[in-house]
Amino acid sequence: MPACGQPAQPSPATWQHGGVTAATHSTLFPQVPDSADAVLEGLDPEQREVATALQGPVCVLAGAGTGKTRAITHRIAYGVRAGLLQPSSVLAVTFTNRAAGEMRGRLRQLGAAGVQARTFHSAALRQLQYFWPKAVGGSLPRLVDRKIQLVADAAAACRIRLDRNELRDVTAEIEWSKVTQTVPADYPPAIAKAGRDAPRDPAEIAQIYNVYEDLKRDRSFIDFEDVLLLTVAILQDRHDIADQVRSQYQHFVVDEYQDVSPLQQRLLELWLGDRDNLCVVGDASQTIYSFTGATPDHLLDFRTRHPGATVVKLVRDYRSTPQVVHLANGLLAQARGRAADHRLELVSQREAGPEPVYTEYTDEPAEAEGAARRIRELMDSGVPAAEIAILFRTNAQSETYEQALADAGVPYQLRGAERFFDRPEVRKAGIALRGAARFGGNDSLLDDAPDLPSQVRAVLSGEGWTTQPPAGSGAVRERWESLAALVNLAQDFAAAKPDVTLADLVAELDERANAQHAPTVQGVTLASLHSAKGLEWDVVFLVGVAEGMMPITYAKTDEQIEEERRLLYVGVTRARRHLHVSWALTRAPGGRPNRRPSRFLDGLRPGSTATAGRTAAGGSGGVVRGFTSRPETAPRRTQRTPARCRVCGRTLTDAGEMKLMRCETCPSDMDEGLYERLREWRGVQARLSGQPDFCVFTDRTLMAIAEAEPVSPVELSRIPGVLKRKLERYGADVLAICAGQEVGEDAGGE
């Protein structure tokens, strides 16, 4: 019997002993697994369910930090390595080039090269370019570089004056219309139905939208949204082309499925046809892009559309400490609406850390100075700048923090600024390194550089890199940080592969540039909450968490307020260990102190009063198998009530504390002698069955047994971790040991 009832026995570095790491913490240059079963090693039970469920519809509900990218990339790789999936028949789609690049990189490291991992737009554009001559004829129109200029021309043609902000907002409205498949004439009633606030008179926007479409046609342009619209149109109208695409791709994986727009969903349905080999991954509680047309309805309705679907819930949080997870769960516990009804209650798998820090400041400059001062202290204590982030609601807040960090001598980088490999200094450095790799034998600069790191330092010293960073901030410091990131990458590369050459590094840089997988730049990250999604840091400063900013002033409806709450939830779950939450009583020094902390913190920050909460369904992890009847006829699952400490009554979120049914810090009444006897017995059983100790019972479960001292199977079954199968196999032994009886080595077997 395989260990723990899993398809393959885990290696000693198992998921419960730290084998699973946060999504972005994979080894820099790992060895390719030597077999299909080796691909499964280190996955937790739910992740294994994802990885081995290769046929039919699969829905993965994955909370923040639960390793969803790990689960789906291992799923694809396991299928490929086991010969169950052909690499060229798999299409994995996500929403950003960075995420698609990361997925391609992981698949390559797992020995599953050749799988297509792209954004929706990238996949559609490739198909459009290939099939356009056959479906339409001639050359595909050019993709417009700056849509906003075309919108400005359309507004001018309509004799409607738009300032810079209005121009941006009207452009966003046109984009929303197209991804929701709304034509210009239908725009006014469509936004009324959606409860959307128009930045101008809806009739004016409809007029601009109509002229914008005419200008595109006249100038032979298509825009980003047209790529999807035209691909959908071709696949709908030309069944021969649709059949050709479907013969190419047999299996589909969609990441961040809660962000799918109606247009993207329609494209996905056309790719699928009448097949159902589809795996979707998402979390309704991380839906934060509804302004772009994204909706979690497709995720939440998945089992309605696919009644036979297997649903796997990932709730083991490997990213954040129990203290951070407790705050994240608390935020969602007060949520309302459909997404809240399907929230996932995370269970931290990490050791305890510090409590979140809440700080009130007199004004925004004082808040920025306070954050910069604390960051300086953290860096002086050894925390790398790249492991610290300041997250804010709007980009306009950035300037105050840039100034405060510069004054404190703290390097920083702006998230969402120019992409790393597009920076001029990085391009020049790449050319210099490529030249040195090709002609290095004749370059005296490399005579005294025996290894890769010294060779890279020698080459980049000619591009402006120095052993010490330049003083101050600004463009000179930013260029140095870029070059320093390449030097650090070379050092990591050489440490992982001692015999690596300069040519190998150049090839690695090319691969990373194609995947937009930038090396770490040593600077504090400044980012908006929206642009921080998918990222994580050891230390996160959530700033400006005050009414009017979080939720933002223009969030009026219940749906908009709840999206603001989810946005804060995303911010909280970016932190691995340290979380600082702050707000200012006024904007400028000397102003009237009339601001108050965000309502979302009520009952969560010290000294505040809780608002009425709720217990939401679907919080626990696990697997729900597909069924053949309609979902309305399926048995209703009972709601899961929160676990509370049996000593102090506090709600428990840490997995270990939930097994003990008490806080780690609350006094224990455990029988130490009984605990040691249980540990000795467990070791014997593990050796007899050839599996790790924890597969018999974990340390926490044994502690809970030693505290409870059960005298009957019923009492033993009430202890978390003693499941039915383990009760049947080991129950008699455990109860005998608790009663002080001796147990033979051959007991407990099957």
Side-chain angles (χ1 to χ4, degrees):
M1 174 180 167
C4 296
Q6 299 305 321
Q9 185 169 325
S11 67
T14 54
W15 61 273
Q16 284 184 315
H17 289 178
V20 174
T21 57
T24 58
H25 267 202
S26 57
T27 307
L28 186 62
F29 302 103
Q31 297 298 314
V32 174
D34 58 8
S35 67
D37 284 346
V39 172
L40 300 177
E41 292 178 358
L43 299 182
D44 70 29
E46 292 79 26
Q47 291 171 341
R48 279 186 171 231
E49 289 285 353
V50 175
T52 55
L54 294 173
Q55 298 298 322
V58 178
C59 179
V60 184
L61 301 176
T66 57
K68 68 177 179 65
T69 307
R70 181 184 179 89
I72 58 176
T73 51
H74 281 67
R75 178 184 190 269
I76 296 169
Y78 176 71
V80 169
R81 299 292 298 277
L84 302 174
L85 300 178
Q86 291 298 317
S88 61
S89 73
V90 181
L91 177 60
V93 288
T94 186
F95 285 82
T96 66
N97 287 319
R98 184 192 64 79
E102 181 184 359
M103 196 178 292
R104 286 194 297 272
R106 290 196 189 204
L107 290 169
R108 179 166 54 98
Q109 293 166 358
L110 292 169
V115 172
Q116 292 292 310
R118 299 187 171 276
T119 65
F120 270 101
H121 285 87
S122 172
L125 182 59
R126 280 171 62 92
Q127 293 175 18
L128 195 60
Q129 290 169 332
Y130 183 82
F131 290 114
W132 185 269
K134 178 179 180 180
V136 181
S139 300
L140 181 70
R142 288 178 297 161
L143 198 58
V144 65
D145 289 330
R146 296 192 69 243
K147 182 188 301 178
I148 202 164
Q149 183 58 55
L150 208 56
V151 175
D153 293 347
C158 297
R159 303 193 176 190
I160 298 173
R161 297 177 63 89
L162 300 177
D163 62 30
R164 183 176 177 181
N165 290 332
E166 288 177 321
L167 186 59
R168 183 194 63 213
D169 291 343
V170 169
T171 301
E173 288 303 295
I174 292 174
E175 291 173 349
W176 174 85
S177 299
K178 299 186 76 166
V179 300
T180 56
Q181 302 177 80
T182 303
V183 298
D186 293 340
Y187 172 76
I191 65 158
K193 182 179 180 181
R196 193 176 178 90
D197 291 329
R200 294 278 300 215
D201 180 275
E204 288 184 335
I205 294 177
Q207 185 182 1
I208 295 171
Y209 177 14
N210 191 53
V211 174
Y212 166 81
E213 292 296 313
D214 290 341
L215 287 177
K216 278 201 294 101
R217 272 191 300 274
D218 293 345
R219 300 177 186 182
S220 193
F221 278 131
I222 59 173
D223 63 24
F224 212 46
E225 291 71 40
D226 289 332
V227 171
L228 299 183
L229 284 164
L230 291 169
T231 306
V232 164
I234 288 173
L235 295 178
Q236 284 180 159
D237 295 344
R238 292 290 299 267
H239 298 294
D240 57 329
I241 292 176
D243 288 342
Q244 191 173 342
V245 172
R246 291 166 192 161
S247 67
Q248 168 72 49
Y249 296 116
Q250 307 293 323
H251 299 268
F252 296 86
V253 177
V254 185
D255 193 15
E256 303 287 4
Y257 194 53
Q258 77 279 351
D259 291 332
V260 166
S261 70
L263 180 56
Q264 290 164 332
Q265 175 64 22
R266 180 61 186 140
L267 177 59
L268 178 62
E269 290 167 354
L270 288 165
W271 283 339
L272 272 169
D274 58 2
R275 299 163 301 167
D276 63 358
N277 282 328
L278 169 66
C279 175
V280 300
V281 190
D283 179 9
S285 296
Q286 296 188 69
T287 305
I288 59 173
Y289 300 113
S290 66
F291 59 90
T292 67
T295 170
D297 289 346
H298 306 299
L299 175 67
L300 299 178
D301 293 338
F302 191 81
R303 290 193 78 191
T304 302
R305 296 194 311 276
H306 302 279
T310 296
V311 178
V312 185
K313 295 180 181 179
L314 304 183
V315 298
R316 304 176 200 264
D317 188 316
Y318 298 97
R319 175 186 300 159
S320 305
T321 63
Q323 288 73 16
V324 173
V325 167
H326 180 70
L327 175 57
N329 286 338
L331 281 171
L332 293 187
Q334 300 176 17
R336 298 287 185 273
R338 193 175 182 216
D341 288 338
H342 294 79
R343 72 181 179 89
L344 297 167
E345 187 172 349
L346 301 177
V347 182
S348 176
Q349 306 295 299
R350 294 195 56 178
E351 294 180 354
E355 291 288 342
V357 177
Y358 301 87
T359 310
E360 184 174 276
Y361 292 93
T362 55
D363 52 62
E364 288 184 5
E367 185 179 7
E369 290 166 9
R373 185 167 55 251
R374 179 64 185 130
I375 289 170
R376 182 75 266 173
E377 293 170 356
L378 288 166
M379 291 173 58
D380 291 342
S381 71
V383 178
E387 289 296 346
I388 304 172
I390 298 176
L391 307 182
F392 33 74
R393 176 62 181 83
T394 68
N395 288 317
Q397 295 168 268
S398 172
E399 185 177 355
T400 304
Y401 289 89
E402 291 179 54
Q403 185 61 55
L405 292 174
D407 292 344
V410 174
Y412 64 87
Q413 57 175 330
L414 286 171
R415 177 73 189 168
E418 190 176 30
R419 294 195 296 191
F420 181 83
F421 288 103
D422 292 340
R423 298 175 185 175
E425 65 271 19
V426 174
R427 288 179 176 275
K428 285 185 63 180
I431 293 171
L433 290 170
R434 184 170 279 102
R438 187 175 300 170
F439 307 112
N442 300 319
D443 191 342
S444 59
L445 189 66
L446 302 182
D447 287 347
D448 298 322
D451 55 20
L452 177 66
S454 59
Q455 291 169 3
V456 171
R457 287 193 293 268
V459 172
L460 296 188
S461 63
E463 301 300 321
W465 178 82
T466 56
T467 55
Q468 295 297 319
S473 59
V476 173
R477 178 61 182 250
E478 289 175 3
R479 285 195 294 272
W480 184 89
E481 294 286 357
S482 297
L483 298 178
L486 295 175
V487 171
N488 292 335
L489 178 65
Q491 292 169 343
D492 292 339
F493 202 1
K497 298 183 177 181
D499 298 330
V500 74
T501 66
L502 197 56
D504 294 330
L505 177 66
V506 169
E508 176 69 19
L509 289 175
D510 288 342
E511 190 75 40
R512 283 169 169 257
N514 291 334
Q516 285 302 324
H517 180 193
T520 301
V521 175
Q522 286 301 322
V524 172
T525 299
L526 291 172
S528 71
L529 287 165
H530 282 101
S531 65
K533 190 168 181 296
L535 303 175
E536 59 188 74
W537 297 268
D538 281 346
V539 186
V540 168
F541 287 78
L542 289 175
V543 299
V545 188
E547 286 292 306
M549 193 62 74
M550 180 61 66
I552 199 79
T553 306
Y554 53 74
K556 303 294 187 183
T557 66
D558 290 344
E559 291 81 5
Q560 291 168 341
I561 295 293
E562 288 306 316
E563 182 150 337
E564 293 289 298
R565 187 193 307 276
R566 294 194 295 269
L567 189 57
L568 182 58
Y569 171 81
V570 166
V572 167
T573 54
R574 300 310 94 194
R576 298 192 195 106
R577 182 169 174 81
H578 296 274
L579 180 63
H580 296 257
V581 183
S582 64
W583 59 91
L585 296 176
T586 185
R587 183 170 181 270
R592 186 176 178 182
N594 56 0
R595 289 182 178 175
R596 62 174 295 269
S598 169
R599 71 190 76 170
F600 300 146
L601 300 178
D602 289 349
L604 301 174
R605 62 183 177 85
S608 63
T609 304
T611 53
R614 66 188 293 170
T615 300
S620 60
V623 182
V624 179
R625 302 294 178 188
F627 49 86
T628 55
S629 61
R630 298 301 300 173
E632 302 88 64
T633 65
R636 293 178 62 86
R637 301 185 69 198
T638 56
Q639 289 191 349
R640 178 173 178 263
T641 57
R644 298 190 182 277
C645 174
R646 54 188 166 83
V647 180
C648 70
R650 182 177 72 85
T651 300
L652 302 176
T653 57
D654 175 69
E657 291 184 345
M658 290 170 70
K659 281 190 174 180
L660 294 174
M661 292 305 291
R662 65 169 174 82
C663 302
E664 191 78 51
T665 54
C666 284
S668 168
D669 51 1
M670 181 179 70
D671 183 331
E672 297 285 351
L674 174 57
Y675 176 65
E676 289 304 320
R677 291 195 299 276
L678 288 167
R679 280 174 56 87
E680 290 174 6
W681 165 84
R682 180 186 64 176
V684 171
Q685 295 305 317
R687 287 194 298 275
L688 289 173
S689 60
Q691 59 188 11
D693 286 2
F694 72 84
C695 282
V696 180
F697 285 119
T698 66
D699 286 347
R700 292 297 179 91
T701 300
L702 293 187
M703 290 174 67
I705 293 171
E707 289 185 358
E709 297 186 53
V711 297
S712 70
V714 173
E715 290 184 7
L716 181 58
S717 69
R718 291 175 181 154
I719 296 173
V722 183
L723 304 177
K724 181 180 179 182
R725 180 174 61 83
K726 293 193 177 184
L727 181 65
E728 292 172 349
R729 184 174 184 184
Y730 301 123
D733 276 15
V734 171
L735 291 172
I737 295 170
C738 289
Q741 301 170 10
E742 293 294 326
V743 177
E745 284 199 6
D746 58 344
E750 292 182 336

